[in-house]
Amino acid sequence: MTLSPRPAGTARSWVVVVAAGVAAGLQVWKVPPAVPFLRHDLSLSLVQAGTLLGIVQLAGMLGGLAVSLLAELIGERRCLSGGLVLLCLGSAAGGFAWSAAPLLVSRAVEGAGFILVAVTGPGLIRRTSPPGRLTTAMGFWGAYQGISTFAGLVVGALVLQVVSWRVWWWGMAVLALTPLPWVLAPGAARRGGRAARCG
């Protein structure tokens, strides 16, 4: 089926998806600069600190297929939005953790949110990028982990010299929601649905 002309504004929709990916990646890489503070405040062992770093990747290993099936049922945009909300809730809850156990649970929630964003992002970029820009858009998506790794490590190290790790967690919770208004924008939703029907 021939695709109908893309509405105005679609050319920038993929940027929102990449921004969501960077926001999600930052939730992974906010931990390494904070490990010394977490070990001091919560008496974490080295094993627990390592689990904090790896639990998000574990969620990706276990949940990738399930998320892809969920996206087929409810739509990629809803999955992406839900992932951002889970990232926000997990990070916000982690800021209130008083021991290793609740912090690990909050990281598991963040892991679920991360995999929702990571799995659905490429499909959304393919649907929303204009003709001739798909390669560029996918290139930016391929770089989102590198961008978030650099920003998480460098910015985190600087911020944690000024504020506590709890404030860092809460700030990351707010950041996770930043792309959400654009993801949920009525025009974006219509564009995504039209692209899905035409595809």
Side-chain angles (χ1 to χ4, degrees):
M1 180 182 231
T2 302
L3 293 177
S4 59
R6 293 177 183 267
T10 304
R12 292 185 296 274
S13 297
W14 65 268
V15 178
V16 176
V17 181
V18 173
V22 172
L26 282 168
Q27 309 307 314
V28 178
W29 295 102
K30 70 184 179 187
V31 174
V35 165
F37 305 97
L38 293 169
R39 294 197 66 199
H40 179 268
D41 287 359
L42 304 181
S43 300
L44 298 184
S45 67
L46 283 174
V47 173
Q48 290 169 329
T51 303
L52 280 178
L53 296 171
I55 197 168
V56 174
Q57 284 79 4
L58 179 63
M61 290 169 53
L62 298 178
L65 178 59
V67 169
S68 64
L69 295 174
L70 180 64
E72 292 289 336
L73 292 174
I74 69 172
E76 294 168 328
R77 196 173 298 276
R78 288 191 179 95
C79 280
L80 181 69
S81 302
L84 293 173
V85 171
L86 286 177
L87 287 166
C88 174
L89 293 176
S91 190
F96 292 102
W98 63 90
S99 66
L103 187 60
L104 286 169
V105 170
S106 74
R107 287 294 285 171
V109 173
E110 291 179 50
F114 175 80
I115 194 61
L116 281 168
V117 174
V119 169
T120 56
L124 277 172
I125 287 178
R126 181 178 61 83
R127 295 183 190 280
T128 58
S129 59
R133 296 300 300 273
L134 177 59
T135 301
T136 299
M138 291 304 297
F140 273 94
W141 178 259
Y144 88 90
Q145 271 285 21
I147 295 169
S148 54
T149 300
F150 176 81
L153 295 177
V154 175
V155 177
L158 294 174
V159 169
L160 288 168
Q161 301 301 313
V162 181
V163 302
S164 71
W165 69 267
R166 296 182 189 275
V167 174
W168 175 233
W169 252 239
W170 294 327
M172 288 292 101
V174 173
L175 184 64
L177 284 186
T178 302
L180 191 59
W182 286 273
V183 174
L184 295 177
R190 287 194 297 270
R191 291 191 297 268
R194 186 176 305 178
R197 289 193 298 272
C198 293

